[in-house]
Amino acid sequence: MTHPHASPIRITRIEAFVFRAPIANPVRTSFGVMTDRPAVLVRAEDSDGAFGWGEVWCNFPSCGAEHRARLIDTVLAPLLVQQWFEAPEAAFRHLSEETAVLAIQSAEPGPIAQAIAGVDLALWDLCARRAKTPLWQFIRGQAPDTQPARISVYASGINPDHPERTAERAWEAGYRAFKLKIGFGRDRDLANLTAMRSRLGAGIPLMADANQGWSLEEALRMLPDLEPFDLCWLEEPLRADRPWDEWAQLRMRSGIPLAAGENLASPVEFTQAIATRQLSVLQPDAAKWGGISGCWPVIQATRAAHLLYCPHYLGGGIGLLHSAHLLAAAGGRGMLEIDSNPNPLRSLLAGPLEQISDGKATLGSAPGIGFEPELASLASMRQVH
């Protein structure tokens, strides 16, 4: 796939920047805890001086941000600088092919794919800015116009400690859909879901994310207890690498829609996920695998299969903006995941996504992702890598 409005790029500079924001309360999942909020931003520049910004997924392990930035500096940048590419997709293919053996030899396919994804996002932003087109319209292949995009959002990352209080704050901030983290033991999970549903009331969209926290047997035992909460979806009740026949058993035993995709990392895996029809909601994370070049064909296939596309995202504001533009380009009933936990690297970099009204956000008509980070304002969080 080559974008219809793309023009050749000669890349002259690729830079990675690492940031860490201290937080008062750790972010808890069923598999680990985040004691600070990291971000790896990527800036790409071409021979005409056009530039774009991307972001690399780097939440885990805790040392991951610096490592991924070094992969960009030492592996990816030398493969791109002073090279011509007809479009971002061509650069994505080049990076993927040239690092395929290295990913096997180093046993690091994930970190390398994440670094490539962040570079790809930066190149798409660069091309959209150069075309003076909002990224979501550029992805669609549309000419620039002033039409704003309005997308649905939900408050995510709601921790197991008094989640109803977090939901109440998010409601006051304009959110009208919510996702709770579960996988912390049956009694605690059910008490938290009860508190959430009691505070929100019937009919308000509520989702639950087990973060791969259960075996098949544990998930099957939990399903009947989850039925009364009228969940829009149950996310990753099983490990992402479990066979699809296990997901089929869950689907047969419950009417709760199943969601996954943030931990799938190849076209083959996404093709299988769509073909099996066990998932109702597909959630690729463009900063974790694929960028836009890899994820856009997956999103189109998801929509063609009449599945719900809801981008996964839990990082800084630049990747969140890219996810928002992907959702706007896709159309449909999907919702954008926005972390409910304090994170300066999100709030300072998310631009229009900091303003939520009646469960929706509006993307402006500025070119690209519509926002340029001011690195000076982030200096206190900058890390040497």
Side-chain angles (χ1 to χ4, degrees):
M1 179 187 75
T2 298
H3 192 275
H5 293 163
S7 57
I9 321 163
R10 181 170 178 261
I11 301 167
T12 57
R13 182 178 298 176
I14 298 288
E15 297 176 281
F17 304 90
V18 178
F19 302 92
R20 290 188 177 276
I23 52 176
N25 298 310
V27 178
R28 301 183 183 280
T29 72
S30 62
F31 61 83
V33 177
M34 297 173 65
T35 56
D36 63 19
R37 301 307 300 268
V40 175
L41 303 187
V42 183
R43 187 182 186 275
E45 186 174 332
D46 74 359
S47 55
D48 296 324
F51 64 88
W53 288 90
E55 183 170 346
V56 179
W57 184 93
C58 61
N59 291 341
F60 298 98
S62 59
C63 61
E66 289 78 5
H67 174 52
R68 286 154 179 80
R70 289 291 290 158
L71 286 174
I72 293 171
D73 292 343
T74 62
V75 178
L76 303 186
L79 293 172
L80 293 180
V81 171
Q82 304 304 330
Q83 301 295 315
W84 283 94
F85 297 96
E86 61 181 2
E89 298 96 323
F92 177 79
R93 288 193 299 270
H94 175 69
L95 289 178
S96 299
E97 291 166 1
E98 291 296 315
T99 59
V101 173
L102 175 63
I104 296 170
Q105 183 69 30
S106 62
E108 290 200 316
I112 291 173
Q114 292 149 21
I116 292 173
V119 170
D120 183 79
L121 294 177
L123 293 179
W124 276 87
D125 184 38
L126 183 158
C127 289
R129 289 177 192 265
R130 192 171 59 179
K132 297 181 172 57
T133 306
L135 179 58
W136 70 274
Q137 291 179 331
F138 186 79
I139 293 170
R140 283 186 175 181
Q142 294 179 338
D145 61 37
T146 59
Q147 176 187 2
R150 193 157 168 79
I151 57 173
S152 297
V153 303
Y154 70 92
S156 177
I158 299 177
N159 280 332
D161 300 320
H162 304 290
E164 71 281 5
R165 299 178 187 174
T166 303
E168 190 171 82
R169 289 192 296 270
W171 182 278
E172 293 171 354
Y175 290 86
R176 296 296 180 265
F178 307 85
K179 187 170 76 179
L180 172 70
K181 288 189 176 295
I182 59 175
F184 301 97
R186 177 184 178 278
D187 291 346
R188 190 178 191 185
D189 289 345
L190 296 180
N192 282 337
L193 283 166
T194 299
M196 288 284 288
R197 183 52 81 193
S198 175
R199 183 64 59 92
L200 296 174
I204 299 300
L206 175 62
M207 295 76 76
D209 185 356
N211 285 125
Q212 307 182 82
W214 298 328
S215 67
L216 175 62
E217 293 73 20
E218 290 170 326
L220 288 171
R221 285 197 297 269
M222 281 294 294
L223 284 178
D225 294 325
L226 298 177
E227 292 282 356
F229 297 103
D230 188 27
L231 297 176
C232 293
W233 71 67
L234 172 61
E235 188 168 328
E236 288 197 325
L238 304 175
R239 270 178 29 185
D241 62 352
R242 297 308 301 160
W244 287 111
D245 65 332
E246 292 191 5
W247 294 81
Q249 292 184 57
L250 297 184
R251 188 176 177 89
M252 287 187 295
R253 292 277 292 271
S254 172
I256 301 173
L258 299 177
E262 67 181 90
N263 291 307
L264 302 181
S266 74
V268 171
E269 291 182 18
F270 280 107
T271 298
Q272 291 174 341
I274 293 169
T276 61
R277 309 295 298 186
Q278 304 309 322
L279 301 178
S280 299
V281 185
L282 204 61
Q283 304 167 300
D285 187 324
K288 196 170 190 180
W289 173 82
I292 294 172
S293 296
C295 285
W296 183 239
V298 169
I299 294 164
Q300 291 177 301
T302 300
R303 298 276 284 120
H306 305 291
L307 304 178
L308 190 63
Y309 161 61
C310 290
H312 174 271
Y313 191 73
L314 202 75
I318 298 301
L320 182 62
L321 282 165
H322 277 278
S323 300
H325 280 267
L326 271 169
L327 181 60
R333 299 180 296 105
M335 296 184 289
L336 176 69
E337 178 173 28
I338 301 183
D339 184 14
S340 63
N341 297 288
N343 181 1
L345 292 169
R346 183 194 68 251
S347 56
L348 292 174
L349 300 174
L353 299 178
E354 279 295 290
Q355 303 299 318
I356 308 300
S357 175
D358 196 25
K360 294 184 181 294
T362 301
L363 300 177
S365 57
I369 59 173
F371 183 85
E372 181 180 357
E374 296 181 4
L375 297 186
S377 67
L378 307 176
S380 65
M381 295 178 278
R382 179 95 176 260
Q383 305 294 308
V384 176
H385 67 274

